[in-house]
Amino acid sequence: MKKPEILAMWGSNSSKSINGKLIAFASTLYTKAEVNIIDLKEYNMPLFGVDLEREKGHPKEAKELKKLIENCDGIMLSLAEHNGAYSAFFKNIFDWLSRLDGKAWDNKPIFLMGASTGKRGAKSVISIAENRFPFNGGKVIQTYSFPNFKDHFEDDRGIIDDDLLSELQALIQKFEAYILEETGVLS
């Protein structure tokens, strides 16, 4: 039987994104699902505006991304926190996705994460998204905050803090179990 597919992405356009590194590492911890990692920078969209939408319609990149969301079984998303909220880069993508049918996340289960170099671990943006996404067709099943990135992560080893690693592993197991139950695939 085919393994369920998790669509993994991060909400930053930085070439050295710590959220991208966290997603890449977290993706290796799945055992019962296939993970498809995408870089949102490949979905370059103009700055959203209702005049632009009226004149030119929706960008093909928004439609392509929406199709990937529709075809996956779950989403793993790590958000960068800029001034306590979404990065402008991610907010623009989210705005375009939400204009396609209002349900940007297509009622998919979401594992929502955030990493920061500070001690709060992107908790503000995680909270914003956790409260907002259900209005746009997202079912936030798990959240994970990763603080003090530079102290707890090494590029060649991943998460080096045992407690943070154990917490992530447990959350991924729960998320996989939820996805397996939702898709009808038995473990």
Side-chain angles (χ1 to χ4, degrees):
M1 196 171 238
K2 182 182 171 248
K3 287 184 173 183
E5 181 185 324
I6 306 297
L7 182 64
M9 61 190 114
W10 61 97
S12 170
N13 60 353
S14 169
S15 63
K16 297 178 191 227
S17 172
I18 61 175
N19 285 282
K21 290 177 181 183
L22 180 59
I23 282 288
F25 177 76
S27 296
T28 67
L29 302 176
Y30 283 83
T31 59
K32 297 177 178 140
E34 294 293 328
V35 181
N36 176 20
I37 301 174
I38 62 169
D39 186 343
L40 289 176
K41 290 189 310 269
E42 295 177 11
Y43 298 87
N44 189 22
M45 298 176 215
L47 186 60
F48 176 79
V50 292
D51 293 337
L52 180 62
E53 180 184 36
R54 187 174 42 255
E55 292 168 17
K56 300 206 176 201
H58 301 110
K60 71 176 176 52
E61 294 85 357
K63 294 175 187 174
E64 290 168 1
L65 182 55
K66 179 68 171 158
K67 188 59 109 175
L68 288 174
I69 291 168
E70 290 170 355
N71 290 330
C72 75
D73 298 301
I75 298 167
M76 184 171 59
L77 172 63
S78 191
L79 292 173
E81 185 172 277
H82 291 189
N83 296 316
Y86 308 119
S87 67
F89 167 77
F90 175 76
K91 179 69 167 75
N92 187 57
I93 289 173
F94 183 34
D95 287 344
W96 278 115
L97 283 174
S98 70
R99 298 298 285 198
L100 293 174
D101 65 6
K103 300 295 181 195
W105 306 114
D106 199 46
N107 298 312
K108 300 297 179 176
I110 298 174
F111 185 162
L112 184 60
M113 301 190 296
S116 75
T117 56
K119 65 182 177 182
R120 287 192 30 83
K123 285 183 180 179
S124 294
V125 72
I126 291 169
S127 178
I128 290 168
E130 188 175 17
N131 290 314
R132 179 70 229 164
F133 284 5
F135 294 101
N136 296 97
K139 297 189 292 187
V140 178
I141 305 302
Q142 301 290 345
T143 63
Y144 178 72
S145 169
F146 191 81
N148 302 313
F149 188 86
K150 292 177 184 174
D151 297 332
H152 301 303
F153 193 96
E154 293 179 2
D155 287 346
D156 58 338
R157 292 176 48 206
I159 297 174
I160 57 173
D161 180 278
D162 290 338
D163 292 336
L164 290 169
L165 177 57
S166 293
E167 179 185 0
L168 180 59
Q169 289 170 323
L171 291 171
I172 284 175
Q173 286 177 344
K174 289 178 184 175
F175 188 64
E176 275 188 310
Y178 182 90
I179 298 293
L180 292 170
E181 187 175 314
E182 285 284 300
T183 59
V185 178
L186 301 174
S187 55

